[in-house]
Amino acid sequence: MAIREVLIYPDSRLKEMAEDVQSLDDKAKQVIQDLLDTMEASGHSTGIAATQIGEPLRIVVADASKNKKCEDHHGRLIIINPEILKWEGMLQFREGCMSVPDFTGNVNRARKILIKFKDENFNERVIESEGFEAVLLQHETDHLDGTLFIDRVISKRTDLFRRKKYK
Ligand code: ZN
């Protein structure tokens, strides 16, 4: 187990397309543990994708319960090979990212999603997620395709905000 360095934009590895995980081998298990350790160590983070620690594998860990304002969630999720099957509705959310520490930005996301993935035992799960957690899972799944929230910000002129320090 290890706390890993989080890559910071514009590191080109953040733009990489991650590969599907074929089996729960030692490498995949190590990446999962490192993601959990790195998320925990940051304190505030509700999710992190493998591409953010320089591992181009389709693995994400997320924990919407760490956002005190989020009441509707599935707790800590280990998400392998995610596939969003359905998008419903729309909401605008002010997003931040450990890889983009200097900015937050307004992004349009689906309000509700149906997402399929493999869990930490490599069992298939399909869950419906709504609100903050749905936004979080869309943000993290985007990372696996090399997409950052700043690529989706509504307007770079009016919807991107500089911040002094990541909180
Ligand atoms: Zn992010």
Side-chain angles (χ1 to χ4, degrees):
M1 68 188 263
I3 296 162
R4 303 278 297 265
E5 185 196 340
V6 177
L7 303 181
I8 302 294
Y9 174 83
D11 193 304
S12 64
R13 286 169 291 176
L14 291 167
K15 297 258 108 196
E16 262 181 65
M17 189 84 169
E19 301 269 335
D20 270 335
V21 176
Q22 303 299 338
S23 68
L24 207 55
D25 56 12
D26 288 347
K27 176 71 189 175
K29 286 182 190 161
Q30 180 225 313
V31 170
I32 291 167
Q33 193 55 55
D34 287 357
L35 287 171
L36 290 171
D37 293 342
T38 307
M39 180 171 75
E40 284 314 315
S42 79
H44 50 71
S45 170
T46 49
I48 183 168
T51 43
Q52 290 180 275
I53 58 166
E55 302 282 2
L57 285 172
R58 300 190 82 80
I59 304 175
V60 158
V61 302
D63 190 350
S65 74
K66 291 172 83 182
N67 177 347
K68 298 281 174 276
K69 283 181 263 174
C70 177
E71 287 167 357
D72 190 10
H73 58 73
H74 294 83
R76 196 183 76 175
L77 291 170
I78 288 149
I79 294 177
I80 303 168
N81 302 343
E83 205 183 318
I84 297 175
L85 303 173
K86 247 204 233 166
W87 293 259
E88 237 182 274
M90 203 184 76
L91 75 96
Q92 192 183 107
F93 198 83
R94 181 84 162 256
E95 295 189 20
C97 179
M98 284 199 285
S99 294
V100 190
D102 296 336
F103 292 93
T104 61
N106 292 327
V107 181
N108 287 328
R109 298 285 189 183
R111 180 179 299 279
K112 196 168 162 185
I113 58 166
L114 191 68
I115 183 169
K116 180 174 95 170
F117 57 94
K118 288 200 161 62
D119 67 9
E120 59 271 44
N121 301 310
F122 224 54
N123 293 323
E124 191 169 293
R125 280 184 75 182
V126 178
I127 64 170
E128 197 175 69
S129 181
E130 217 177 329
F132 173 78
E133 188 186 63
V135 170
L136 170 64
L137 298 183
Q138 289 169 81
H139 175 116
E140 299 305 334
T141 304
D142 262 357
H143 272 299
L144 304 180
D145 296 326
T147 301
L148 299 172
F149 82 85
I150 46 175
D151 301 319
R152 290 196 188 272
V153 115
I154 299 164
S155 157
K156 286 211 161 58
R157 192 171 60 81
T158 56
D159 293 291
L160 197 58
F161 308 95
R162 182 172 281 280
R163 62 174 157 192
K164 286 267 176 343
K165 207 171 134 238
Y166 193 84
K167 289 197 277 232

